[in-house]
Amino acid sequence: MKIAILGYSGSGKSTLARAIAEKINVPVLHLDTVHFVEDWQERDRIEANTIIKQFMAQKSWVIDGNYTKFFKEERIEKADSVIILAFSRWACLRRVIKRYFNYRKSSRPDMAEGCEEKIDGTFLWWILYKGRKAQPLAELKKIQAKYPDKTIIIRNQKELDTYYQAHELNHITTKNA
């Protein structure tokens, strides 16, 4: 089983990825851990692509993240299921603020070690505006149109809770999870 999880920043991609990977006992890769190294520095692109290629060579996996430069088309093509979290900007903002208070002064499990949780104006602008431009939305719709039989779109917390219940997934929300 191969699952790709995409969606807006703060929508819960990493939490869902961990829950699914735990449930079906497959490895999970959070692309944020590949993109960043300590102190929010970007990893060398060749090194990052090597990590992802090796991970994708496995029989089964869950990968969360949108990064186009990290074999996005290939990830989606190879995936048996594509889950898109298309929460509203305000829901994502609430989730990011909650995440900040849960992980401040530490690195969350789906982030590179040494990348302490932070909120700044640039990130808030990304969540509310820049990450919501027409192009990312068009890309998500294009994926759904190209792969309708394997794409699931989850638009809000109620739909996500229903997904968790239907698949008997445990929410992984604590700092120590």
Side-chain angles (χ1 to χ4, degrees):
M1 176 66 68
K2 296 177 180 176
I3 300 170
I5 301 175
L6 308 169
Y8 293 119
S9 295
S11 60
K13 296 181 300 292
S14 297
T15 301
L16 179 59
R18 282 194 313 274
I20 291 171
E22 183 179 285
K23 173 71 176 178
I24 63 175
N25 196 30
V26 300
V28 62
L29 180 64
H30 307 288
L31 292 181
D32 282 341
T33 65
V34 176
H35 180 70
F36 294 106
V37 294
E38 190 171 355
D39 199 28
W40 296 97
Q41 299 301 306
E42 291 187 15
R43 183 184 307 269
D44 173 76
R45 180 121 178 229
I46 294 171
E47 180 185 357
N49 281 330
T50 300
I51 293 167
I52 296 163
K53 270 288 200 199
Q54 289 174 349
F55 191 85
M56 288 175 53
Q58 297 177 89
K59 181 179 178 181
S60 298
W61 45 254
V62 177
I63 301 175
D64 83 82
N66 299 317
Y67 297 92
T68 303
K69 64 185 175 184
F70 292 155
F71 306 107
K72 185 175 183 179
E73 287 295 324
E74 189 174 340
R75 276 185 279 133
I76 293 166
E77 178 71 31
K78 287 185 172 194
D80 300 302
S81 294
V82 178
I83 302 170
I84 298 172
L85 299 180
F87 282 41
S88 76
R89 71 185 74 221
W90 304 110
C92 290
L93 178 62
R94 281 191 305 276
R95 295 170 73 93
V96 164
I97 291 169
K98 181 179 177 185
R99 180 174 76 192
Y100 171 76
F101 284 108
N102 285 336
Y103 292 102
R104 68 178 171 218
K105 297 185 181 180
S106 66
S107 298
R108 58 185 142 91
D110 49 86
M111 184 50 69
E113 191 64 37
C115 291
E116 288 188 7
E117 192 63 25
K118 66 178 183 174
I119 293 181
D120 60 18
T122 302
F123 188 47
L124 292 174
W125 184 255
W126 173 261
I127 292 195
L128 294 173
Y129 300 103
K130 192 172 181 184
R132 297 291 175 147
K133 288 186 176 179
Q135 182 186 359
L137 181 59
E139 290 223 8
L140 296 177
K141 288 181 179 182
K142 181 179 167 186
I143 292 165
Q144 182 186 24
K146 188 172 181 179
Y147 303 104
D149 295 336
K150 68 178 185 179
T151 302
I152 300 165
I153 296 183
I154 299 173
R155 292 175 178 82
N156 56 49
Q157 189 63 50
K158 183 177 178 183
E159 290 179 11
L160 183 58
D161 289 342
T162 299
Y163 183 88
Y164 272 102
Q165 290 170 354
H167 294 85
E168 299 177 0
L169 299 170
N170 295 323
H171 289 273
I172 302 174
T173 57
T174 64
K175 194 170 182 176
N176 298 322

